Amino acid sequence: MSYSNTDGIMIGLEIHVQLNRLKTKMFCGCSTQYHSSPPNTHVCPVCLGLPGALPVINQKAVESAMKVGLALNCEIVEQTQFHRKNYYYPDLPKGYQVSQFDYPIVSNGKVAIEGEDGELVIRIRRAHMEEDPGKLIHMGSIDKSKGTLIDYNRSGMALLEIVTEPDIRSPKEARRFLDKLRNILEYLDVFDSDLEGAMRVDANISLQGGDRTEIKNISSHKGAERALLYEIMRQKNLLRRGEIVTMETRHFDEARGVTTSMRSKEEEHDYRYFPEPDLVPLRVKDRTEKLLQELPELPDAKKERLISQYSISDMHAKALVSNLKIANFYEEVASEVNPKVAATWIADVLKGELNYRDLTIDACKVEDIVQLVTMIMENKITDRSAVEVIRTLLDSGGNCMEIVEKKGLVKVEDNVVEQAVDDVLGENKNAINDYLNGKEQSLNFLVGQVMKKTRGRADPMIVRDIIANRIK
Ligand code: ADP
Ligand code: MG
Ligand code: ZN
């Protein structure tokens, strides 16, 4: 399926981010570390919504929300206020969600991403705080379920809902925006994306001449991209046939890769928002200076610094900063060995090998990569062997020197290479003649034979030069 911006694609995202690095929930003292606990063990009268229980605002949650706002270039509201958003669902025992309405904590921000054609600025409309509901667990598949269980451990977790303007123009840009947002949130240390349900996305999309639909509750960035691709195709087909795209809420079925209709869209007034009488309005703006001081170096700034401090390429810097732990790892390695060579090996090779194995950089030790880069610089091992060392480190552990020795990866001495070349040239007169008669590939064949004899421990470029010199 193909599409282009002549279709007038507009995409706006609403992203629910769990501030899961906080110690306690939004309005009570329950611990947020419930992910490996049995159901309903991190609960209290407040987050169970028992009558008479009174909420208390978690100051750290407010500050985390403000930090996110500042990192997204938002304005901080003069005075913020919580509202009750009224609706009933079993995962919400109070019958309302404490959220924010007309005084969101931050608004009017912007984030630049790499768009389909150059830099694209996505405007952030607002970000507001709210509490997470509990979690419903259906017994078996949702349509055949015999019953539903409820776990309130998640109930009352601090959430930040970030809402963009419809400035995104393609599914790929939506994914890039989400990746960038996650990156920023991890730098701020307010968010751990590895925990289940840490980020949930509602994606709104419309095409020229049609109404918009909202795809609810997508749990991965890739899922958002796929759901949007499907929705473009669906809406395009409707419009082409002269039918209308109705404003509705849709569900993305990850397994089938399709969106299905859930309900016609609810309206704001359906929720009967009113100010939460149990919580005072908060004057927060005077904390801005203090929080600005506390902001860490963010991805874009880190990228620029790595480029100028270590003279590495834009591409390498980008790959390194897209993961804070890898960026930190890199800087430790770069403090001991040639930073450019370190960048190449960490950004181009190590990162790919980690991704392939679904591992994080924690699987790797700084000293091993320092040793490896040192050996590469000193010409003691070939690039090919270095890759083998990295793979072995990740697959079977051990340390760099051990692996190099055990596998006999130390590059062969010059005289051994010379000897191997002698042997190969002696054994392959035909290939030599072919080469002399203009058949270039024969040289590759000869180099290959030498590599085979030295079990890949010679430098193929050098072997090539030696052979070419001998038989010209
Ligand atoms: P709602 O009442 O559904 O929350 P909003 O106007 O607040 O509606 O917008 C919610 C999201 O929908 C925002 O991210 C916004 O950018 C996006 N959006 C609004 N209009 C469109 C549109 N025509 N096409 C795509 N997305 C849109
Ligand atoms: Mg909405
Ligand atoms: Zn609680």
Side-chain angles (χ1 to χ4, degrees):
M1 208 257 325
S2 71
Y3 64 88
S4 71
N5 279 333
T6 53
D7 295 320
I9 297 167
M10 293 213 298
I11 297 169
L13 303 175
E14 297 163 274
I15 305 114
H16 296 84
V17 173
Q18 219 182 39
L19 301 174
N20 55 14
R21 298 279 296 154
L22 295 168
K23 289 201 176 66
T24 56
K25 294 184 182 179
M26 183 87 209
F27 299 116
C28 64
C30 290
S31 152
T32 56
Q33 306 302 304
Y34 61 79
H35 287 88
S36 48
S37 307
N40 299 306
T41 52
H42 291 243
V43 292
C44 73
V46 173
C47 56
L48 285 174
L50 301 187
L54 288 175
V56 177
I57 300 171
N58 179 339
Q59 174 177 321
K60 277 266 180 302
V62 175
E63 293 191 350
S64 297
M66 289 173 71
K67 278 191 194 173
V68 175
L70 293 172
L72 303 181
N73 306 297
C74 291
E75 295 160 16
I76 307 279
V77 71
E78 209 52 65
Q79 175 171 300
T80 191
Q81 161 92 64
F82 287 96
H83 273 69
R84 290 186 178 182
K85 179 178 180 179
N86 295 283
Y87 68 96
Y88 174 74
Y89 212 60
D91 60 11
L92 188 71
K94 294 199 295 281
Y96 59 83
Q97 180 189 31
V98 179
S99 180
Q100 298 194 305
F101 185 52
D102 41 7
Y103 297 102
I105 182 124
V106 298
S107 57
N108 296 328
K110 55 181 191 299
V111 174
I113 64 159
E114 205 179 306
E116 300 276 0
D117 34 53
E119 187 186 83
L120 176 69
V121 174
I122 317 280
R123 290 167 299 158
I124 306 295
R125 184 182 291 177
R126 56 186 269 157
H128 62 261
M129 288 181 283
E130 60 188 25
E131 54 179 344
D132 213 350
K135 191 175 174 206
L136 299 180
I137 301 152
H138 305 291
M139 300 161 74
S141 67
I142 190 162
D143 44 338
K144 296 199 194 86
S145 181
K146 289 206 173 61
T148 298
L149 304 169
I150 310 179
D151 178 4
Y152 289 113
N153 281 347
R154 194 176 77 181
S155 173
M157 285 290 285
L159 284 188
L160 190 65
E161 178 174 342
I162 300 165
V163 182
T164 78
E165 294 292 342
D167 293 340
I168 299 165
R169 298 163 310 182
S170 76
K172 188 182 276 159
E173 287 178 351
R175 184 167 176 184
R176 287 198 189 135
F177 173 81
L178 292 169
D179 287 344
K180 176 125 190 204
L181 178 63
R182 174 173 58 197
N183 199 208
I184 293 172
L185 294 168
E186 291 193 325
Y187 271 57
L188 293 172
D189 198 23
V190 298
F191 171 73
D192 178 354
S193 67
D194 290 336
L195 296 176
E196 197 214 329
M199 202 195 255
R200 279 114 63 196
V201 178
D202 299 345
N204 297 268
I205 175 162
S206 65
L207 269 54
Q208 180 101 54
D211 243 329
R212 95 177 119 115
T213 59
E214 176 172 11
I215 316 158
K216 279 270 185 209
N217 228 338
I218 311 168
S219 59
S220 72
H221 299 189
K222 183 150 187 250
E225 185 179 6
R226 286 172 60 220
L228 286 165
L229 274 169
Y230 178 84
E231 198 51 24
I232 289 173
M233 182 186 69
R234 192 188 66 86
Q235 294 187 13
K236 236 180 119 160
N237 285 337
L238 284 174
L239 294 169
R240 189 183 313 130
R241 292 198 298 265
E243 293 172 35
I244 52 165
V245 177
T246 40
M247 183 121 164
E248 64 179 355
T249 301
R250 299 181 69 85
H251 162 77
F252 178 56
D253 182 334
E254 292 259 12
R256 290 194 296 144
V258 303
T259 67
T260 51
S261 180
M262 281 166 73
R263 55 173 187 257
S264 66
K265 220 183 130 24
E266 70 284 356
E267 306 264 351
E268 212 101 88
H269 62 249
D270 294 334
Y271 289 120
R272 299 272 176 245
Y273 278 96
F274 69 85
E276 165 61 70
D278 291 337
L279 295 169
V280 291
L282 286 180
R283 291 197 152 271
V284 289
K285 202 168 185 177
D286 54 2
R287 291 195 193 188
T288 307
E289 271 311 309
K290 167 185 165 258
L291 294 175
L292 276 173
Q293 303 283 321
E294 289 176 15
L295 280 192
E297 181 181 46
L298 292 169
D300 285 347
K302 193 183 286 292
K303 186 180 121 194
E304 293 311 315
R305 180 175 62 77
L306 294 189
I307 292 172
S308 67
Q309 186 172 340
Y310 301 109
S311 306
I312 61 176
S313 69
D314 189 83
M315 195 187 71
H316 283 157
K318 203 170 110 188
L320 294 169
V321 303
S322 69
N323 180 309
L324 179 57
K325 278 187 175 170
I326 291 183
N328 290 340
F329 185 95
Y330 166 70
E331 290 209 81
E332 283 189 57
V333 175
S335 69
E336 301 202 38
V337 292
N338 182 307
K340 280 193 189 181
V341 180
T344 306
W345 281 88
I346 294 173
D348 289 347
V349 184
L350 180 58
K351 203 175 164 205
E353 298 291 335
L354 289 169
N355 284 347
Y356 177 70
R357 291 167 178 73
D358 217 0
L359 290 172
T360 69
I361 192 76
D362 296 333
C364 208
K365 287 198 291 294
V366 169
E367 64 188 57
D368 283 321
I369 303 303
V370 167
Q371 275 171 355
L372 189 67
V373 173
T374 307
M375 280 193 286
I376 295 166
M377 297 290 296
E378 290 173 352
N379 233 339
K380 289 213 178 102
I381 57 173
T382 63
D383 286 1
R384 198 171 108 175
S385 299
V387 173
E388 192 176 336
V389 172
I390 289 179
R391 290 183 177 157
T392 311
L393 275 172
L394 299 181
D395 289 335
S396 344
N399 67 57
C400 174
M401 295 316 274
E402 229 173 69
I403 295 167
V404 169
E405 269 159 38
K406 207 180 311 165
K407 298 202 158 205
L409 295 176
V410 178
K411 209 191 244 177
V412 287
E413 304 285 334
D414 289 352
N415 59 345
V416 179
V417 178
E418 297 280 344
Q419 182 62 52
V421 171
D422 281 347
D423 292 350
V424 166
L425 293 185
E427 291 158 12
N428 295 282
K429 298 281 185 231
N430 289 343
I432 298 175
N433 284 332
D434 288 348
Y435 175 68
L436 292 174
N437 288 327
K439 198 170 156 206
E440 280 288 326
Q441 308 94 293
S442 295
L443 183 56
N444 296 339
F445 169 77
L446 292 167
V447 172
Q449 291 306 105
V450 174
M451 294 306 290
K452 207 159 146 190
K453 267 203 197 312
T454 57
R455 300 210 325 273
R457 291 170 301 147
D459 184 328
M461 299 308 281
I462 292 175
V463 171
R464 195 183 178 85
D465 284 347
I466 297 175
I467 297 178
N469 271 321
R470 289 273 201 89
I471 62 178
K472 69 186 167 196

